[in-house]
Amino acid sequence: MAWTKTSVGKYIVLEESGLVLADNEDSGAEEYTVVSSVIPAVDYNFENAKFPLVCEITTASDDAVTCDAVLQVSTGSAVTGDVIGTSSATPLWADAADVDIDIVSDTLGSYSQIVDATDVYAPYARIAIKTSAADLNGGSGRVTIKLALPA
């Protein structure tokens, strides 16, 4: 997957669709279920900003699970070592801003929240969706992530 970019006034809207909510293996531990593509700070101004985030469930998952989002940052754009779902790990990425968006995985619809990246500085960022629920099974859900950043 990759970001598509459109300009709306003095903002850049990034959108990535078809992201799969991965099976989290019934662990009950907080796990990342999907991550977006990388957002380079050199191209997009996410640093020290507040910006809107929309997560739209476009294909309902088989299970009703509440998910939240997080802005992750890194010193590089690599995703080496990412394990999404089973024993979730993102070793090259740090959680920088929690987003209490309450996405319901089995319900078609959009969920919106403001990402507060005040005092967040890094060369790369991405959006991760996570849950601590124990029953996101099958990897059937699909989500589209949209955000708007100053141009």
Side-chain angles (χ1 to χ4, degrees), residues 7 19 21 23 25 29 45-46 56-57 59-60 75 77 92 99 123 126 136 141 147:
S7 294
L19 297 169
L21 293 172
D23 187 331
E25 301 297 323
N45 186 17
F46 63 83
E56 179 184 0
I57 297 294
T59 302
T75 59
S77 62
L92 301 178
V99 184
R126 68 182 182 185
L136 183 58
L147 50 95

Side-chain angles (χ1 to χ4, degrees), residues 3-16 36-54 71-73 97 99 113-118 120 122-127 145-151:
W3 291 109
T4 57
K5 174 179 129 177
T6 56
S7 294
V8 179
K10 59 184 180 177
Y11 295 92
I12 295 170
V13 177
L14 298 176
E15 180 175 334
E16 189 168 21
S36 73
S37 295
V38 174
I39 307 165
V42 69
D43 297 326
Y44 306 108
N45 186 17
F46 63 83
E47 295 179 309
N48 198 35
K50 292 182 181 181
F51 54 89
L53 170 69
V54 176
L71 177 71
Q72 290 188 317
V73 294
V99 184
Q113 193 58 268
I114 297 296
V115 177
D116 186 353
T118 305
V120 173
Y124 299 95
R126 68 182 182 185
I127 302 295
I145 295 175
K146 301 175 195 174
L147 50 95
L149 299 166

Side-chain angles (χ1 to χ4, degrees), residues 20-25 31-35 72 81-90 126 128-129:
V20 177
L21 293 172
D23 187 331
N24 71 346
E25 301 297 323
E31 294 181 339
Y32 300 99
T33 61
V34 68
V35 294
Q72 290 188 317
D82 277 2
V83 178
I84 305 303
T86 314
S87 65
S88 234
T90 57
R126 68 182 182 185
I129 295 177

Side-chain angles (χ1 to χ4, degrees), residues 58-82:
T58 56
T59 302
S61 68
D62 295 335
D63 303 297
V65 171
T66 300
C67 301
D68 283 315
V70 64
L71 177 71
Q72 290 188 317
V73 294
S74 181
T75 59
S77 62
V79 294
T80 307
D82 277 2

